[in-house]
Amino acid sequence: MKPETPSLPADYLTIPDRVNIAAVTVDRQVARGAGDRVAFYFGEQKVTYRELQRRVNQCGNALSRFGVGRGDRVFFRSQNRPEYVIAALAGFKIGAVPIPTNSLFRAWEIEYLVNNSEAKAAFTTPDLMGPIAEVWPRCPSLKHVVMFGNEAAGHRTFDDLVAGAPDQLTEADTRADELAFIIYTSGTTGRPKGVEHAHRWIVGTGDPIVHFLLQLTPDDVILSPLEISFMYAWGCTVLYPLYAGCAAVHYQGRIDVDRAFQAVKKYRA
């Protein structure tokens, strides 16, 4: 039997001249009345779209106050955690450029990535800070390091960064072809290559994947047991679920089959 062709939105694959990834994901879901729906689960924690919007706005305002602005590169070296998603979305919202990176990258790779991208700020965790500290003196563009978690080791923590920041923020008026994020390849045949993606990516890839391939609805739950530094997980468990208005399940640590199936059962992914 031939599969039924899905009903596609009237504006399917219509890319406006101005688009901002944070606005057409989180903000759009709140604006359409879905603020109380769950955006993602992380362990026993669940974050609604309204709560996610509030925290993204606070982080965006804090980054701006910190001197991070439109076009500035923001480097991430972390395993999955809620603050990772929040800070990356905040970067989109103010027009900065998040750079998710593999937490297994070694010091020489980090030095190359930071200098190649001219990253201005970095987010990491205490257990992954070592290689950044090692190469920081050789990375002239890197001005700030923010620590996820409570053990700051002399660095500003994420909680300190966002403390007292306003929770209202208008998105940057980014062009559709304006740089949104960079994903570096694994560097299998040489140095990692930075692959640039514009804000239009969320529509150009999100529409066929969300509405046609996966046919996601707001009632769906998505699980991928991968670190979100990979392009597949970055799209399929962060940005595409938010674009569809459904929920995503994140967890920290390496892939474990039993743990993955427990999450499928618990959240009905």
Side-chain angles (χ1 to χ4, degrees):
M1 181 181 294
K2 185 177 180 181
E4 184 178 339
T5 301
S7 177
L8 302 176
D11 60 351
Y12 179 72
L13 279 177
T14 300
I15 301 176
D17 293 334
R18 323 293 293 193
V19 61
N20 182 286
I21 288 177
V24 298
T25 55
V26 181
D27 293 346
R28 182 166 65 99
Q29 304 306 338
V30 175
R32 72 177 184 85
D36 292 330
R37 296 186 71 99
V38 175
F40 64 82
Y41 297 94
F42 192 94
E44 298 305 314
Q45 181 181 2
K46 64 180 180 181
V47 178
T48 66
Y49 277 91
R50 182 173 290 105
E51 175 67 7
L52 181 58
Q53 182 188 54
R54 184 184 69 81
R55 296 177 69 181
V56 166
N57 289 349
Q58 285 183 313
C59 186
N61 283 316
L63 285 172
S64 297
R65 184 178 59 194
F66 211 33
V68 175
R70 194 160 172 171
D72 286 334
R73 275 61 165 166
V74 182
F75 183 90
F76 289 86
R77 175 175 167 78
S78 173
Q79 293 187 332
N80 297 356
R81 55 189 305 137
E83 299 95 326
Y84 190 159
V85 176
I86 291 163
L89 289 166
F92 290 136
K93 195 156 188 179
I94 65 173
V97 182
I99 305 173
T101 68
N102 191 330
S103 67
L104 297 178
F105 277 154
R106 294 156 293 180
W108 73 264
E109 292 166 305
I110 293 168
E111 180 178 354
Y112 173 74
L113 266 59
V114 170
N115 286 331
N116 180 259
S117 64
E118 298 183 325
K120 187 172 185 178
F123 287 89
T124 189
T125 57
D127 59 316
L128 295 173
M129 177 62 190
I132 295 178
E134 178 184 337
V135 305
W136 195 353
R138 301 190 295 274
C139 299
S141 67
L142 186 60
K143 306 301 181 186
H144 312 287
V145 175
V146 179
M147 202 73 66
F148 295 140
N150 296 323
E151 298 178 13
H155 297 285
R156 186 187 301 264
T157 67
F158 179 82
D159 289 344
D160 289 339
L161 174 71
V162 302
D167 61 5
Q168 299 295 315
L169 177 64
T170 300
E171 74 275 8
D173 184 26
T174 44
R175 304 184 313 276
D177 63 353
E178 193 166 330
L179 181 61
F181 63 95
I182 301 172
I183 297 279
Y184 277 84
T185 66
S186 62
T188 305
T189 58
R191 293 185 182 274
K193 283 80 172 173
V195 183
E196 297 184 339
H197 300 269
H199 281 271
R200 65 188 173 203
W201 172 92
I202 192 62
V203 180
T205 68
D207 271 6
I209 289 175
V210 168
H211 299 302
F212 189 86
L213 180 63
L214 298 181
Q215 299 182 40
L216 295 178
T217 74
D219 294 325
D220 287 320
V221 179
I222 296 294
L223 165 70
S224 171
L226 298 174
E227 185 176 294
I228 61 176
S229 59
F230 293 91
M231 186 64 193
Y232 174 84
W234 181 243
C236 288
T237 52
V238 179
L239 298 177
Y240 294 147
L242 294 175
Y243 190 57
C246 62
V249 179
H250 301 269
Y251 66 69
Q252 192 173 71
R254 297 181 67 83
I255 295 173
D256 178 273
V257 174
D258 290 338
R259 192 178 180 197
F261 276 107
Q262 287 169 8
V264 169
K265 182 179 179 180
K266 178 176 180 179
Y267 297 108
R268 303 182 64 82

